[in-house]
Amino acid sequence: MAEPSIAGRTTAGADTHALLGGGYPLPVRPLYYLGGFVPLALVLDLVDASAPLVFFTSAAGVVPAAALMSEATEQLAERSGPGIAGLLNVTFGNAPELIIAVFALKDGLQEVVKASLVGSVIGNSLLVLGAAMLVGGWKRSRQNFSHTTAQTQSGMLLVTVAALVLPAVFQLVHGGGLPRVDEHRHSFGHELEHLSLGVALILIATYLAGLFFSLRTHRDLFNPVYDDAGRFRWSLRRSVLTLAVAAALVAVASDTLVGSIADASSDIGLSQFFVGVFVVAIVGNAAEHYVAVVAAAKDKMDLAVNIAIGSSAQIGLFVAPVVVLLSFVIGPTPLALVFNGYELAALILAAWLTATLTSDGESTWFEGVQLLAVYAVLGLVFFYA
């Protein structure tokens, strides 16, 4: 099936985003209205306000800062060639999730880090894709998107999940146990830490190969065209300054967010495991969640699928391995890529369902309901875990 053509211009950044997720050619301006929560969260933390209030305020503050960072990255990408655009998206496309993970690693909350990674994967592939299919298909009999692109992205997601699952298989085969949901950190020994390091390096190499695939050898498959006529272009100076300010805001809000997780989860009666999978993960990806649903509503289903599945694959291929590498210099011990049983089941289900429902190159609103139903069931199971 040929990819639908929308009159307009193709940006350099879109080439990379189509396969690997990233910035978006749609406005995220409504999210900026939450910007006041960043200083508010900082003030509440300084005056020792209740942990839940600090947590939810800082979570709301991360959302506009992440959206602003995504927009600044996209503006810089549009002013560069495809290669530089790809490097920009690799560096800054997942900065909010990485920043949150760094602060959690520093505090020794390794299981929260892994929970947020799993939450990002299932949130994009089940929640975001499901909501996009539901909203986009509600008043349409069906929506079409590139079968080839979706199949390639789903394949990358399946490869990612396989790599993330296998260290747990190694642990079980050798008589070890999986981490419990109530743990902050589980020691697996040097062997699994080194195995995780090797897996991380392979995933990063695969990510770079995918970047080369989408930018060079198969650009025609991952070259969405969209109408951006009249879109305001930022100057180079404004883009760089905005990116720096947004990164600083994300860092401030993330530090406050992570610092309040333990007390907030205890006060509101939720496990840190549940908070990591369903709250922290959604906060870090809120901007792309919003844009994917808006794209589907405008019948730009190719873009919505690109964001949802591409972002899921990107979390596993880039964010997770970078977190493993950082854990060797940040935090008390290196992070082993061994997930608990609930996380393993969620990863496998998300990858399998996504590949199955996008294999025909078309979607309906009921397929969106199916994905959302599985996400809701996972939420219920994780709540009682």
Side-chain angles (χ1 to χ4, degrees):
M1 178 187 300
E3 220 173 7
S5 177
I6 304 171
R9 184 179 61 83
T10 303
T11 67
D15 298 327
T16 307
H17 303 164
L19 177 61
L20 301 173
Y24 336 100
L26 291 172
V28 291
R29 189 173 303 277
L31 298 179
Y32 297 158
Y33 299 146
L34 300 175
F37 282 102
V38 177
L40 179 58
L42 188 59
V43 170
L44 290 174
D45 186 44
L46 292 174
V47 300
D48 292 324
S50 68
L53 183 61
V54 174
F55 176 80
F56 287 110
T57 305
S58 56
V62 171
V63 174
L68 189 61
M69 179 175 287
S70 295
E71 175 65 12
T73 302
E74 177 68 11
Q75 291 281 351
L76 282 174
E78 290 181 4
R79 292 180 169 275
S80 61
I84 300 300
L87 291 176
L88 285 170
N89 294 318
V90 167
T91 306
F92 298 108
N94 294 286
E97 295 96 321
L98 278 174
I99 292 172
I100 292 173
V102 165
F103 283 110
L105 284 176
K106 180 176 65 70
D107 290 350
L109 302 176
Q110 292 188 352
E111 294 308 314
V112 172
V113 172
K114 287 189 279 187
S116 67
L117 293 174
V118 171
S120 294
V121 173
I122 68 173
N124 280 302
S125 54
L126 297 179
L127 175 63
V128 178
L129 185 59
M133 288 181 173
L134 174 59
V135 172
W138 185 250
K139 295 183 179 180
R140 303 176 178 94
S141 60
R142 59 177 45 85
Q143 290 181 290
N144 296 320
F145 48 87
S146 170
H147 162 77
T148 303
T149 305
Q151 190 174 48
T152 303
Q153 291 171 324
S154 298
M156 290 184 68
L157 180 58
L158 287 168
V159 169
T160 299
V161 169
L164 295 179
V165 166
L166 286 175
V169 173
F170 178 91
Q171 171 75 347
L172 292 173
V173 169
H174 285 75
L178 300 178
R180 301 189 311 272
V181 298
D182 59 348
E183 289 184 278
H184 292 174
R185 185 174 65 255
H186 187 104
S187 178
F188 293 98
H190 295 302
E191 191 174 37
L192 263 169
E193 291 170 359
H194 293 158
L195 172 61
S196 298
L197 177 61
V199 171
L201 294 175
I202 293 172
L203 286 173
I204 289 177
T206 305
Y207 182 84
L208 294 177
L211 197 64
F212 183 75
F213 181 79
S214 64
L215 287 173
R216 296 295 184 187
T217 64
H218 289 71
R219 287 190 63 184
D220 56 319
L221 295 179
F222 307 99
N223 193 27
V225 182
Y226 51 84
D227 185 8
D228 61 351
R231 185 182 179 206
F232 180 68
R233 306 290 174 200
W234 294 359
S235 66
L236 179 62
R237 179 180 180 183
R238 176 178 176 179
S239 299
V240 172
L241 289 176
T242 301
L243 185 60
V245 171
L249 291 174
V250 169
V252 170
S254 299
D255 188 22
T256 308
L257 175 75
V258 172
S260 62
I261 283 180
D263 292 335
S265 60
S266 176
D267 290 351
I268 62 181
L270 295 175
S271 66
Q272 293 186 38
F273 171 59
F274 181 87
V275 170
V277 174
F278 289 95
V279 180
V280 175
I282 289 177
V283 166
N285 294 278
E288 57 197 13
H289 293 183
Y290 166 77
V291 175
V293 175
V294 171
K298 295 183 177 181
D299 204 22
K300 298 180 180 180
M301 203 60 197
D302 271 288
L303 179 59
V305 171
N306 289 341
I307 292 173
I309 308 179
S311 295
S312 290
Q314 194 175 38
I315 292 296
L317 288 171
F318 180 72
V319 178
V322 168
V323 167
V324 171
L325 297 178
L326 290 175
S327 72
F328 279 83
V329 294
I330 298 175
T333 58
L335 182 146
L337 283 175
V338 179
F339 298 90
N340 65 46
Y342 297 104
E343 292 167 335
L344 294 174
L347 287 171
I348 294 170
L349 280 173
W352 174 70
L353 286 171
T354 299
T356 300
L357 292 182
T358 59
S359 61
D360 58 356
E362 61 181 34
S363 63
T364 63
W365 67 264
F366 186 63
E367 289 177 327
V369 169
Q370 292 172 320
L371 290 174
L372 292 173
V374 174
Y375 187 77
V377 171
L378 285 174
L380 191 62
V381 172
F382 280 40
F383 177 79
Y384 285 103

